[in-house]
Amino acid sequence: MSRWKELPAELDPRVRQLVVRLRRLKDHSGLSVRQLAARTGYSAKSWERYLGGRSLPPAEAVAALARIGGDDPTRLLTLREVAAEVWEHGKDRGRPAAPAAGTPAPAPPPEAQPESDAGPEAEPRPAAEIRLSVRSLRIALAAGVVALVLAVSTALLVTSWFTGRSGADTDRTARTAPLAASAPASPPSYSCRLQRVDGAWYAGNSRTLDATVGYGQSGPDVVEVQCLLRRAGVSPGGIDGMFGPLTRGAVVRFQKRAGLIGDGIVGPRTWKALRG
């Protein structure tokens, strides 16, 4: 059994109760965190956060773990709903509270008055100094206008150059493209070449005995599952190498018929029953 780290002291008792139940189900299943990730579709890091009380698990993850551990998903999902309300309430408490009604807002700090080198009776600036300031302002404005015109002109030239180059590349591509469009690639074809070797059935696509195969996967292992399901009299739909809804439903029916947990995931026990 796993040696769990102590949960955070500030964790609400209702959230703590959910996490403890999830930890017990994980220990009861005998799966590692990586195996649990492969069986449920949630990453190992996500399960570490869920089982460590650092993140609230989604309802789908809770239901998946309940099915793997042989528990009733309804009761566990009810605990999850209660924990979700507590979790959201705990987030709201971390926000700053609004000021109470009738409480006067704090007055803004007074603006600092600009300091002046001259006293209240300072003499007016000379007319020559004023004319020099106006002239400097005009020169600065003119320089800014010139810089803006140069920047716009440069941008237009660069845009025109890229547009012309792109058009030339397009024309070159059009001239060198083949006249006839290539035919779309045909999907790979699979076949079931059933044979019995040392008391076990094989379909000629994969010889694995312990690979974990589940919803959304594709490839030779999925083809092997589909062929063996068809041999057992449970139709997975087509032999296309895609683990879709039809294949998952066929796996669940076969597992229940073989006395296994109908979770729709092909593991070592399901492989043994398929090849038996």
Side-chain angles (χ1 to χ4, degrees):
M1 183 178 294
S2 304
R3 297 184 60 184
W4 297 102
K5 293 182 179 179
E6 187 177 354
L7 293 173
E10 65 274 9
L11 200 64
D12 189 276
R14 285 158 289 188
V15 180
R16 183 184 298 271
Q17 182 181 5
L18 173 64
V19 176
V20 170
R21 287 288 297 276
L22 294 177
R23 286 182 172 185
R24 289 177 182 173
L25 286 174
K26 188 264 181 188
D27 290 339
H28 180 69
S29 68
L31 299 175
S32 65
V33 176
R34 290 188 177 180
Q35 292 172 334
L36 186 61
R39 296 282 297 270
T40 60
Y42 292 87
S43 66
K45 291 185 178 180
S46 297
W47 275 114
E48 289 175 358
R49 293 196 302 271
Y50 303 156
L51 298 173
R54 301 192 303 273
S55 180
L56 186 67
E60 292 81 0
V62 173
L65 182 55
R67 289 192 295 268
I68 293 173
D71 198 358
D72 182 10
T74 304
R75 292 185 299 176
L76 206 58
L77 288 174
T78 302
L79 287 178
R80 194 263 173 196
E81 291 180 3
V82 175
E85 294 178 0
V86 176
W87 194 276
E88 292 299 326
H89 182 65
K91 288 183 179 179
D92 294 338
R93 288 188 302 176
R95 300 171 184 167
T103 302
E111 296 181 359
Q113 299 294 329
E115 296 181 357
S116 174
D117 293 335
E121 299 179 356
E123 297 181 356
R125 299 170 63 185
E129 184 178 351
I130 295 175
R131 288 195 298 271
L132 181 60
S133 299
V134 172
R135 183 180 180 186
S136 300
L137 180 60
R138 289 177 179 175
I139 293 174
L141 288 174
V145 171
V146 172
L148 179 60
V149 171
L150 289 176
V152 172
S153 301
T154 303
L156 291 175
L157 288 174
V158 172
T159 303
S160 300
W161 183 82
F162 274 111
T163 302
R165 186 178 181 86
S166 177
D169 292 341
T170 303
D171 294 340
R172 189 182 303 112
T173 302
R175 289 195 301 269
T176 57
L179 296 178
S182 59
S186 58
S189 58
Y190 299 102
S191 61
C192 300
R193 301 181 298 276
L194 292 168
Q195 59 178 342
R196 197 169 178 83
V197 180
D198 296 333
W201 284 101
Y202 295 89
N205 297 285
S206 173
R207 301 184 66 85
T208 182
L209 297 174
D210 56 0
T212 300
V213 184
Y215 188 83
Q217 292 183 241
S218 61
D221 290 344
V222 178
V223 179
E224 188 78 2
V225 170
Q226 293 173 334
C227 291
L228 294 177
L229 285 171
R230 178 172 292 182
R231 187 206 69 82
V234 183
S235 175
I239 309 298
D240 56 2
M242 300 296 294
F243 202 115
L246 295 178
T247 301
R248 186 182 184 279
V251 171
V252 171
R253 294 195 300 273
F254 176 81
Q255 288 173 328
K256 291 181 178 179
R257 192 178 74 181
L260 302 173
I261 298 176
D263 57 3
I265 300 174
V266 180
R269 293 183 181 178
T270 305
W271 277 116
K272 183 177 180 181
L274 285 171
R275 297 196 185 279

